[in-house]
Amino acid sequence: MDDEAIELIKDFEWVRFSVDAASREIYKKVKGLDAFERSIETIRKLMKVRSSNNVVGMGFIICPDNHKEIKPFVNLSKELGVDNVRFSLALTPKGDKLFDGIWDDIVQQLNEAKSEEKNDFKIFSFDDRIYDLKQEIRGDYCGFHHLVGVIAPRGVYPCCRLKDDFKFNFGDLRKQSFKEIWHGEKRKKFIDTIGKKCPYECWMASKNRFIEYIMLDEKPHKEFI
């Protein structure tokens, strides 16, 4: 990010950078781009100018190529002075098989990383998500897409699970406003089809079951939700 972009985000409630590596070599391997130093420098610059209520975090999606850098990533995050680190698992067609032979090592590293947590430095980890991948939980009813939206370089998408899938690209912000895209025909069609019965495995399945429980039955606090 250039200085103008940093100026735009310094007053946000929170910002999370998807870094996914603790070294230039692994960053390049995971991202396919040699931009590790530039990414880290962006975070350093933001930390110097951010407002007092701006929470800055760093994200790390665990995969076979970077799983040895979990602890070094925590150390890097602490050195940069960010407020939190979020670890998650890569979701691919391989499901839990992606982590064959390395899962126990990942869990051990996450437990060690968790010990670094302080009042002013939080670590969010999802070491139980492997069970979601094992069960291949299907989304079925989805209420979560009403609460989120994803703006990616190639378009606007309903959620992080379906981002960058051309079938679910609602529109191009270079050609339409977000309002036009979000209330446009493509999203309306999505809401009436996939949004009502999603066939994709999804880590939000348990949350969607709860939303369905609240919204589709006559519950006393339905209006609050």
Side-chain angles (χ1 to χ4, degrees), residues 3-38:
D3 291 343
E4 183 180 3
I6 292 173
E7 188 70 20
L8 287 173
I9 67 172
K10 70 176 186 178
D11 296 317
F12 282 10
E13 280 190 24
W14 64 272
V15 179
R16 180 181 296 124
F17 293 91
S18 297
V19 182
D20 305 326
S23 66
R24 178 183 180 186
E25 177 188 2
I26 298 300
Y27 185 97
K28 188 175 180 180
K29 193 172 185 180
V30 172
K31 303 276 195 181
L33 184 69
D34 189 8
F36 179 73
E37 285 83 2
R38 282 187 289 146

Side-chain angles (χ1 to χ4, degrees), residues 17-167:
F17 293 91
S18 297
V19 182
D20 305 326
S23 66
R24 178 183 180 186
E25 177 188 2
I26 298 300
Y27 185 97
K28 188 175 180 180
K29 193 172 185 180
V30 172
K31 303 276 195 181
L33 184 69
D34 189 8
F36 179 73
E37 285 83 2
R38 282 187 289 146
S39 298
I40 297 304
E41 183 59 25
T42 291
I43 299 172
R44 290 190 196 279
K45 286 183 177 180
L46 176 62
M47 295 305 294
K48 291 179 180 178
V49 301
R50 66 168 177 166
S51 59
S52 59
N53 63 342
N54 180 291
V55 177
V56 178
M58 291 169 61
F60 189 105
I61 297 178
I62 302 169
C63 67
D65 287 335
N66 66 8
H67 81 281
K68 290 291 186 183
E69 291 205 339
I70 291 174
K71 188 64 184 301
F73 187 75
V74 171
N75 293 336
L76 172 63
S77 303
K78 290 173 65 178
E79 186 264 320
L80 291 170
V82 300
D83 302 293
N84 63 69
V85 171
R86 180 184 186 270
F87 291 104
S88 191
L89 300 179
L91 177 65
T92 76
K94 291 184 178 180
D96 64 301
K97 301 299 182 185
L98 184 70
F99 304 99
D100 280 354
I102 62 174
W103 180 244
D104 289 343
D105 184 33
I106 290 172
V107 172
Q108 181 179 344
Q109 289 187 70
L110 287 174
N111 288 336
E112 291 176 1
K114 198 71 174 172
S115 68
E116 299 291 329
E117 190 173 57
K118 308 292 182 185
N119 288 336
D120 59 349
F121 181 67
K122 299 295 182 183
I123 295 178
F124 305 108
S125 64
F126 302 90
D127 52 355
D128 60 343
R129 186 164 286 175
I130 191 72
Y131 302 111
D132 291 341
L133 299 181
K134 281 179 177 292
Q135 296 170 26
E136 297 183 339
I137 296 176
R138 297 292 169 177
D140 203 22
Y141 168 81
C142 180
F144 204 76
H145 69 87
H146 291 290
L147 308 177
V148 298
V150 175
I151 298 173
R154 287 179 287 273
V156 177
Y157 300 85
C159 64
C160 53
R161 172 65 182 88
L162 301 179
K163 69 181 178 184
D164 284 336
D165 187 324
F166 179 76
K167 296 190 298 294

